[in-house]
Amino acid sequence: MSPFWIRLIQLILSLTILVVFHEFGHFLFSRLFGVRVEKFYAFFNPRFSLVRIKKVDGKLRVKFFSPNVPESYEEEKRFNFEGKEETVYKPVDIDSLPEGDWRRSPDNTEFGVGWVPFGGYCKIAGMIDESMDLAQMQQEPKPWEFRTKPSWQRLLIMVGGVLFNLIMAFFIYSMVLCKWGDSYTPAQGLKHGMEFNEQAQSIGFRDGDIIVATDGRPTVEFDADMYRAIAKAGTVTVLRNGERIDLTMPEDLSLFDFTRETAFVSILSPMTVDSVLADGGAAMAGMRAGDRILSVNGSDASTWNKFQYILSDMRSRAADSYVSRDLEVVIERGAVQDTLSVAASDDFMLGIVHMNNEYEPVYLEYSFFESIPAGIAYGWKTLKSYVGDFRYVFTKEGARNLGGFGTIGKIFPEKWNWHAFWLMTAFLSVILAFMNILPIPALDGGYVLFLLVEVITGKKPKDKFLEVANTIGIIILFALLIFANMNDILRLF
């Protein structure tokens, strides 16, 4: 299976887990406070559903590939006192419906799976949400509806989704630590130092430097927090040929530019071959263990990062047009350089294993009970870091780097890896929790904002105001979604 499909499947599975668990938070608090939940769906289901399940008249009913149930309201056209035609919605008499009609037993939730494989939803009675069920909102409020409940109950219903996403992230991080443990790279233990991109080189960094401190604070781990420290620092101290050198950082330095070919700083790992697969193109070309690759098709490939970027770029271009798999590889064997013609595989693999002995990572193991507080701390640290990085979204560079489903999909590995999958899912759960609590109408945070205003002022916003605000919020969200995905499309060209 191609890397594209592997990443797509991981993306859909991850988002499905996250959205269903998020909506379950709303569902649980709604049912706890006696609010009807009319529908609970994984994926969206315009016009028809793949699976529909509901207990009707005491019997559990299941339908596959079924058209959606008609609404429980009937439209009626009439003229108002000004002589203008208007639409009035009248509730269907449930008792008059035939036995087995899915509109009967309204207390029971209809569960289902839609056919649009992204997201999902939880339709709560008496709530103005993305379903824009105006027919229901025209009726007299009922005791089982969201709008008739006390403000504190409505507040808990709305934050339930965010709360469950945080719980899920903490739980996943805990189980990952319990199963696989954790490791980190000591920043001071890098055999060949660090590798810097053109942005870092223009500031004064050089390949082989080791970052030892930021504003005088020692750098312990090579991780994302080191990036953040560099971005905020006025001075970064590096170790170069045994000498400590202070570099002055420019103001408003952003290191999270996804449009650049290579990262601001990475571990410098020479592209040395550890072993050669017998049936690979490298073996047939005469490559041996211990050879160091210097270039591929004339492009510098002397480090692992550069080598990986070249092959990844070829792989991406080959999806749209023909790219030759006959590669000209310059190697260094001892003190002698040689040029080999290597036939790469269909997915541009050469059949070699990279020698990765430039550093010794520090491994940490956790028992089940140790992993729980460690996972919560890991998740909380991730949340704080993401909130701190969110400020970049409001910069010119941040807007340019904003990505849609394509960018999200690329954070998953090209080969299936459960460890990486669960780490990415937990990270996305943190992002979903934070993004949903932003005070934007149509998001949970928008509802929370209006509820807090109601609690403080004692006045409940009118339904018409909420309808307009929700519509504006949906427009804003769709605009951001289009903008982010357009960025992905433009990057392809």
Side-chain angles (χ1 to χ4, degrees):
M1 187 179 292
S2 71
F4 170 81
W5 290 109
I6 293 175
R7 280 174 163 167
L8 180 62
I9 292 172
Q10 290 181 91
L11 173 64
I12 293 175
L13 178 59
S14 180
L15 291 181
T16 301
I17 294 171
L18 296 180
V19 172
V20 168
F21 208 73
H22 175 93
E23 298 299 335
F24 183 72
H26 296 311
F27 174 87
L28 188 65
F29 280 102
S30 296
R31 300 302 291 175
L32 181 65
F33 298 131
V35 177
R36 285 181 182 174
V37 179
E38 298 173 358
K39 295 182 180 182
F40 187 98
Y41 266 75
F43 304 157
F44 292 103
N45 61 325
R47 300 188 68 84
F48 76 95
S49 307
L50 298 181
V51 182
R52 289 173 44 222
I53 304 172
K54 184 180 179 182
K55 194 172 185 180
V56 182
D57 294 331
K59 296 181 180 179
L60 187 65
R61 301 178 186 274
V62 181
K63 288 190 177 182
F64 299 94
F65 303 99
S66 171
N68 293 338
V69 178
E71 292 297 327
S72 299
Y73 298 90
E74 296 177 334
E75 289 188 14
E76 182 180 287
K77 301 291 185 180
R78 71 180 184 185
F79 293 93
N80 59 22
F81 66 92
E82 296 178 343
K84 296 181 180 179
E85 187 180 57
E86 62 181 10
T87 302
V88 177
Y89 298 93
K90 296 175 61 178
V92 172
D93 182 7
I94 293 176
D95 294 332
S96 67
L97 296 172
E99 185 175 350
D101 191 298
W102 280 57
R103 287 172 289 180
R104 295 171 64 90
S105 305
D107 283 339
N108 297 333
T109 302
E110 177 186 327
F111 296 92
V113 179
W115 58 273
V116 180
F118 281 104
Y121 66 95
C122 173
K123 190 174 185 298
I124 300 172
M127 176 182 166
I128 299 173
D129 57 11
E130 62 274 8
S131 68
M132 296 301 286
D133 191 350
L134 304 182
Q136 188 178 76
M137 302 307 294
Q138 285 186 6
Q139 312 305 310
E140 287 295 320
K142 307 296 191 303
W144 60 77
E145 291 185 342
F146 173 84
R147 53 181 167 169
T148 61
K149 299 300 178 180
S151 56
W152 67 272
Q153 291 185 3
R154 285 181 280 133
L155 182 62
L156 285 175
I157 291 172
M158 292 317 305
V159 300
V162 170
L163 178 63
F164 267 56
N165 273 132
L166 288 177
I167 291 174
M168 184 178 193
F170 296 157
F171 175 77
I172 292 176
Y173 280 132
S174 297
M175 294 303 98
V176 166
L177 292 178
C178 182
K179 170 69 175 177
W180 289 285
D182 194 13
S183 64
Y184 68 88
T185 304
Q188 311 306 317
L190 302 178
K191 181 178 179 181
H192 297 283
M194 301 176 183
E195 181 179 3
F196 300 87
N197 69 4
E198 73 285 352
Q199 179 191 16
Q201 300 259 1
S202 67
I203 295 172
F205 292 96
R206 296 292 178 265
D207 286 346
D209 288 352
I210 296 178
I211 297 173
V212 295
T214 54
D215 285 336
R217 291 185 294 273
T219 302
V220 178
E221 299 180 19
F222 187 100
D223 59 6
D225 286 337
M226 183 189 75
Y227 268 73
R228 295 182 181 95
I230 295 171
K232 297 175 183 178
T235 303
V236 173
T237 304
V238 300
L239 187 66
R240 183 182 299 166
N241 298 323
E243 181 184 358
R244 295 171 69 96
I245 299 174
D246 291 334
L247 301 176
T248 302
M249 297 295 101
E251 295 183 3
D252 301 323
L253 175 64
S254 173
L255 309 186
F256 298 93
D257 187 349
F258 301 111
T259 63
R260 295 185 183 275
E261 296 180 358
T262 54
F264 184 90
V265 55
S266 54
I267 296 172
L268 198 160
S269 179
M271 191 52 216
T272 305
V273 178
D274 180 65
S275 58
V276 181
L277 303 182
D279 57 349
M284 296 178 183
M287 197 176 295
R288 304 175 189 171
D291 289 349
R292 181 177 177 183
I293 295 176
L294 301 180
S295 69
V296 175
N297 286 356
S299 298
D300 182 7
S302 58
T303 68
W304 169 248
N305 289 317
K306 293 173 181 177
F307 177 79
Q308 284 290 91
Y309 173 77
I310 291 171
L311 296 190
S312 178
D313 179 62
M314 289 180 178
R315 200 176 293 124
S316 298
R317 289 189 289 112
D320 301 316
S321 60
Y322 175 75
V323 177
S324 175
R325 286 164 174 75
D326 293 326
L327 310 181
E328 186 180 88
V329 181
V330 176
I331 64 167
E332 184 178 70
R333 183 177 296 163
V336 179
Q337 290 188 11
D338 192 10
T339 301
L340 305 178
S341 180
V342 180
S345 64
D346 289 343
D347 56 352
F348 287 91
M349 303 295 287
L350 273 60
I352 59 175
V353 177
H354 170 236
M355 184 180 291
N356 194 10
N357 60 356
E358 282 68 43
Y359 63 93
E360 286 293 332
V362 176
Y363 291 98
L364 304 173
E365 294 184 354
Y366 298 88
S367 68
F368 176 79
F369 292 105
E370 290 173 336
S371 69
I372 295 174
I376 294 173
Y378 194 115
W380 186 250
K381 177 184 176 182
T382 302
L383 175 62
K384 290 197 299 182
S385 298
Y386 184 78
V387 172
D389 295 339
F390 191 70
R391 61 191 175 92
Y392 290 115
V393 173
F394 302 100
T395 65
K396 183 178 179 180
E397 188 176 71
R400 189 175 72 250
N401 288 323
L402 194 65
F405 293 118
T407 298
I408 298 173
K410 286 183 178 179
I411 70 175
F412 290 97
E414 294 181 346
K415 293 185 177 180
W416 196 281
N417 182 304
W418 281 112
H419 181 220
F421 171 81
W422 286 118
L423 282 177
M424 290 300 102
T425 299
F427 179 57
L428 290 176
S429 193
V430 169
I431 294 176
L432 185 61
F434 174 70
M435 296 299 292
N436 259 284
I437 207 63
L438 293 176
I440 299 175
L443 292 178
D444 295 344
Y447 293 103
V448 170
L449 176 63
F450 295 140
L451 282 168
L452 291 177
V453 171
E454 178 184 342
V455 170
I456 295 171
T457 64
K459 295 181 180 180
K460 185 178 179 181
K462 294 182 179 180
D463 289 343
K464 187 63 178 177
F465 169 79
L466 294 177
E467 290 174 15
V468 173
N470 195 67
T471 301
I472 294 173
I474 290 174
I475 292 172
I476 293 173
L477 293 177
F478 269 106
L480 288 173
L481 190 64
I482 293 171
F483 177 78
N485 283 283
M486 280 300 297
N487 274 352
D488 284 346
I489 293 172
L490 292 174
R491 289 186 193 117
L492 293 177
F493 300 98

